[in-house]
Amino acid sequence: MRQVGHFIGGKQVAGTSGRSSDIFQPMDGSVIGKVALASAAELDAAVRNAAEAQPKWAATNPQRRARVLMKFLDLIAQNNDELAELLAREHGKTIPDAKGDIQRGVEVVEFSLGAPNLMKGEFTDGAGPGIDIYSLRQPLGVVAGITPFNFPAMIPLWKLGPAIACGNAFILKPSERDPGVPMRLAELFIEAGGPPGILNVVNGDKEAVDAILDHPEIKAVGFVGSTPIAEYIYARGCANGKRVQCFGGAKNHMVIMPDADMDQAVDALIGAGYGSAGERCMAISVAVPVGKATADELVKRLIPRVESLKVGPSTDVTADYGPVVTKAAMEKIKNYVDIGVEEGAKLVVDGRGFKMQGYENGFYVGGCLFDNVTKDMRIYKEEIFGPVLAVVRADSYDEALKLTNDHEYGNGTAIFTRDGDAARDFASKVQVGMIGINVPIPVPLAYYTFGGWKRSAFGDLNQHGPDSIRFYTKTKTVTARWPSGIKDGASFVIPTMN
Ligand code: NAD
């Protein structure tokens, strides 16, 4: 049985708290390892180590820091197959999808290689008589990331790439469900020449998280996970004076206009609704066809496609999607389907009974499709995070827009139409952070920022792109003059440019 401890001071260390959690292999339901759950004392040891290493890393010139990350990327590429298999076995997603998970993380580290340029400040020559003003960006010190189970490579890389490139030391607290890839990434960072103490992995649960939130040496916390935890972490971290950004749950709507290309819309919904078993914060979980004819046609075409989805073990590269992460997740999803039926939604494809031959103990849920879902139902209001798509029929474009805007979540949304005016109006008026126009999963590329609105995000700076450099640095502004510019005498009036 694999024992996963922590990665502190450049090496793996065993957990000492006496607490651990099982690591499952969702495709067959077996326990494949145990991960240590850190105590506050273990977290403190990691922070002290990081705080000791950080000043030297910050003083290393930014091009040299970027070169370590270049080598790190090289090693990720060399170990891609192994990382993808490890990820798929612990998470459940298919190996090709696991490669996508790694790649979207890699792209943010690639963006972070530009830190020497991105961290540059501003300079005003002669802002006053003999006076120059300049600004600079400096790292914060020790910063932390708390990440969810559903992208165990991508989201840790989104956080550690910019943080480390900017000269911080980073403490990663990954999901206890799938800690294998984060631990391997920490090893590869050392192999790439990264100094010990700059990338640490502290595994754990609420106890480790609370220790992070309360630790005075940790200056910033980036979180991704469900909304209740996001809100909790935001409140506690801010109350302790930290810089905090928290990204939460989602219920992403896709509006299908009567003039949309129906083949494209159906393909988009199948991929975005059921890919990775719906366990993506940018998955489409609500389809909003506009008008009865559009809705009837959409549902008619979706039914055979959902019925013929190929669910398979994570190692089957031909599967459309694999198992969900845990037995508890599987039961929760099926329970939501039961609730939807009780609430009066029309379950037109029922995947609750799906069993994977040869993998009977795996955590599988077949594709489910609901029609006639209404906005008062729990299956509409709450995040299910599984392969369940809800069709909510709207009579008009305005109703579809209002529905999207009234939902408490605002992570991503999409509109499918050929009408530029409608698309433009939607992009302008919708109260959501990331919009797709005929693009179902509009995750911005690494050099733009990622973040939702409303209860999908707490804090004001997004992930990756220029915001990530702002989040992981603080600005210092210097006003300087030399003796020749100094006038004699004390001044008691505030200096102005009058
Ligand atoms: P989760 O909230 O259960 O866990 C996220 C992290 O918080 C984990 O590291 C976990 O150990 C920790 N945690 C869990 N319970 C805690 C508690 N009571 N106190 C302190 N820490 C706790 O989320 P998850 O199930 O791992 O991930 C799925 C969720 O993440 C979904 O809601 C999904 O929408 C969301 N998500 C959001 C984004 C985004 O960018 N908005 C991206 C990916 C996932």
Side-chain angles (χ1 to χ4, degrees):
M1 175 89 47
R2 195 156 55 93
Q3 301 288 335
V4 179
H6 312 293
F7 197 92
I8 300 175
K11 55 183 191 304
Q12 303 229 18
V13 296
T16 55
S17 71
R19 293 195 313 124
S20 65
S21 172
D22 288 340
I23 306 170
F24 288 94
Q25 178 162 272
M27 69 176 173
D28 60 10
S30 62
V31 176
I32 54 170
K34 282 202 178 294
V35 58
L37 302 175
S39 63
E42 288 170 293
L43 183 271
D44 180 58
V47 176
R48 277 192 277 116
N49 199 285
E52 210 178 297
Q54 191 268 337
K56 191 165 171 215
W57 181 241
T60 303
N61 85 50
Q63 276 178 290
R64 291 210 168 115
R65 293 200 301 256
R67 278 186 207 128
V68 171
L69 290 175
M70 269 186 233
K71 178 83 178 123
F72 176 57
L73 288 176
D74 211 29
L75 291 171
I76 292 176
Q78 284 173 35
N79 291 276
N80 195 254
D81 288 342
E82 173 222 317
L83 288 167
E85 178 156 351
L86 176 61
L87 195 161
R89 284 186 184 279
E90 289 185 0
H91 174 284
K93 65 178 74 175
T94 62
I95 288 175
D97 200 25
K99 289 194 170 168
D101 185 330
I102 297 165
Q103 180 57 24
R104 286 308 287 252
V106 158
E107 289 170 13
V108 171
V109 183
E110 287 170 349
F111 166 79
S112 310
L113 300 182
N117 185 41
L118 295 161
M119 286 179 77
K120 279 195 308 204
E122 297 164 316
F123 188 93
T124 302
D125 173 35
I131 296 176
D132 304 324
I133 303 185
Y134 59 95
S135 64
L136 42 125
R137 292 199 162 275
Q138 294 186 328
L140 302 176
V142 180
V143 298
I146 301 163
T147 55
F149 82 84
N150 70 325
F151 281 101
M154 180 182 86
I155 297 178
L157 289 168
W158 281 11
K159 307 228 167 278
L160 70 87
I164 290 177
C166 288
N168 299 285
F170 191 79
I171 310 273
L172 173 65
K173 204 306 282 172
S175 171
E176 59 276 42
R177 312 258 172 268
D178 41 19
V181 169
M183 291 292 280
R184 277 296 287 140
L185 291 175
E187 283 175 349
L188 295 178
F189 181 74
I190 294 295
E191 211 179 311
I198 295 304
L199 173 55
N200 305 278
V201 182
V202 175
N203 285 303
D205 56 4
K206 184 172 168 35
E207 189 172 335
V209 170
D210 286 346
I212 288 172
L213 297 174
D214 295 342
H215 202 296
E217 190 70 44
I218 295 179
K219 305 299 177 202
V221 177
F223 169 85
V224 180
S226 59
T227 286
I229 310 297
E231 201 168 19
Y232 165 75
I233 286 177
Y234 190 67
R236 187 155 170 171
C238 289
N240 284 327
K242 298 185 196 312
R243 189 177 288 195
V244 189
Q245 57 171 196
C246 293
F247 300 90
K251 197 79 180 177
N252 305 315
H253 294 45
M254 178 168 134
V255 175
I256 302 100
M257 296 293 284
D259 67 348
D261 180 314
M262 202 46 89
D263 290 332
Q264 290 177 357
V266 169
D267 278 344
L269 279 171
I270 290 294
Y274 300 92
S276 199
E279 289 176 318
R280 290 179 180 146
C281 70
M282 289 292 276
I284 296 288
S285 47
V286 179
V288 190
V290 173
K292 184 173 183 319
T294 314
D296 289 347
E297 184 62 22
L298 182 76
V299 172
K300 191 177 101 195
R301 291 196 195 200
L302 278 173
I303 290 172
R305 295 288 299 275
V306 179
E307 283 172 342
S308 59
L309 281 166
K310 187 173 180 212
V311 186
S314 316
T315 45
D316 177 355
V317 293
T318 67
D320 293 325
Y321 70 85
V324 298
V325 66
T326 54
K327 188 158 186 255
M330 177 180 76
E331 282 162 2
K332 182 177 155 203
I333 295 162
K334 289 185 184 176
N335 187 43
Y336 265 117
V337 180
D338 296 344
I339 291 170
V341 172
E342 281 159 29
E343 287 177 314
K346 190 170 160 196
L347 184 61
V348 290
V349 183
D350 183 357
R352 285 174 293 183
F354 178 85
K355 281 264 174 242
M356 186 72 221
Q357 217 185 345
Y359 296 84
E360 282 76 10
N361 293 326
F363 311 138
Y364 297 92
V365 184
C368 298
L369 179 65
F370 275 111
D371 193 4
N372 299 113
V373 175
T374 55
K375 61 183 184 185
D376 51 305
M377 294 179 181
R378 279 185 64 193
I379 58 161
Y380 172 70
K381 291 194 279 200
E382 297 170 22
E383 184 182 44
I384 299 175
F385 222 54
V388 182
L389 181 65
V391 176
V392 182
R393 293 166 173 245
D395 287 335
S396 64
Y397 163 75
D398 286 340
E399 191 185 326
L401 175 65
K402 184 169 177 351
L403 190 75
T404 313
N405 283 347
D406 287 350
H407 203 285
E408 68 167 326
Y409 293 123
N411 212 37
T413 188
I415 185 166
F416 272 63
T417 181
R418 288 190 170 93
D419 179 343
D421 267 338
R424 189 175 180 282
D425 190 79
F426 187 76
S428 165
K429 292 183 181 156
V430 77
Q431 299 298 302
V432 173
M434 293 170 282
I435 323 300
I437 297 174
N438 299 312
V439 172
I441 304 194
V443 176
L445 288 181
Y447 42 97
Y448 284 84
T449 70
F450 178 109
W453 284 14
K454 298 186 277 185
R455 288 176 59 74
S456 291
F458 302 84
D460 66 348
L461 286 172
N462 276 351
Q463 308 191 82
H464 66 63
D467 271 10
S468 63
I469 305 298
R470 292 186 196 110
F471 185 75
Y472 289 115
T473 56
K474 52 194 171 188
T475 305
K476 189 177 266 178
T477 309
V478 182
T479 304
R481 66 182 172 186
W482 296 96
S484 65
I486 298 177
K487 290 185 200 136
D488 289 338
S491 171
F492 296 97
V493 176
I494 187 164
T496 68
M497 284 298 115
N498 260 345

